[in-house]
Amino acid sequence: MSTQNITLSLPKDTLLKARLLAVRRGTSVSGLLAGELERLVSEDEAYEQARQSALMRLEQAFDLGTNGRITAGRDELHER
């Protein structure tokens, strides 16, 4: 996989905390950020795939005998 460098500006105290976190995890700040970005992208792709799948299932849903029409009004459905 090809990589590309980027420039990132962070507050100094955040960078210090990130360096300490990276040391505790046995990686670099760059490795720490790359891993987190990969995780975020992967989660977003999985969410989008699940969303598309759910929408497709909704479009292909079973007909419950209404032929796509709702004949009862809200008040009728919620009578007490």
Side-chain angles (χ1 to χ4, degrees):
M1 173 193 294
S2 168
T3 62
Q4 182 174 344
N5 289 337
I6 63 167
T7 301
L8 178 67
S9 297
L10 294 172
K12 288 183 180 185
D13 60 326
T14 301
L15 180 57
L16 177 61
K17 291 175 184 177
R19 284 181 177 149
L20 293 172
L21 180 59
V23 167
R24 285 197 303 267
R25 293 188 180 184
T27 188
S28 63
V29 172
S30 180
L32 182 72
L33 293 174
E36 287 300 306
L37 284 173
E38 287 173 7
R39 184 185 60 79
L40 284 170
V41 168
S42 177
E43 285 177 1
D44 186 65
E45 288 172 347
Y47 171 82
E48 188 57 33
Q49 186 177 24
R51 181 181 172 277
Q52 290 299 325
S53 176
L55 290 173
M56 188 172 65
R57 284 193 309 273
L58 281 174
E59 289 176 7
Q60 299 171 352
F62 294 108
D63 181 11
L64 300 176
T66 64
N67 294 321
R69 290 174 282 142
I70 299 174
T71 57
R74 183 180 187 281
D75 292 332
E76 288 178 77
L77 296 173
H78 295 281
E79 276 185 337
R80 295 182 190 210

